[in-house]
Amino acid sequence: RFPHRNDGTIFGNREGLLPSKPQGYYREYVHPTPNVSGPGPQRIVIGEGGEMFFTPDHYRTFIPLNPGG
């Protein structure tokens, strides 16, 4: 709904805060940040298995959006 040119790019999980998976398993999408021009810090990260995480602070913390799958 809010397409960004980097939507769907590989999320590398370099922070190691998400479950360890092979490179390319996770993809990231920009989530609009209120009162911020440009992409802002919010992202949705989606795994190949359907798991979804929200990061409000550009990868410092992750909130599961579908706990338990």
Side-chain angles (χ1 to χ4, degrees), residues 12-13 16-23 25-26 51:
N13 194 26
L17 299 176
L18 297 181
S20 181
K21 299 290 183 179
Q23 179 68 15
Y25 182 87
Y26 294 110
E51 60 275 56

Side-chain angles (χ1 to χ4, degrees), residues 7-56:
D7 282 352
T9 58
I10 293 173
F11 175 73
N13 194 26
R14 288 185 278 282
E15 298 79 6
L17 299 176
L18 297 181
S20 181
K21 299 290 183 179
Q23 179 68 15
Y25 182 87
Y26 294 110
R27 301 283 173 163
E28 69 174 291
Y29 299 85
V30 173
H31 188 279
T33 303
N35 302 315
V36 174
S37 62
Q42 299 186 108
R43 302 286 187 278
I44 302 291
V45 176
I46 302 175
E48 287 180 4
E51 60 275 56
M52 297 188 306
F53 302 89
F54 172 67
T55 175

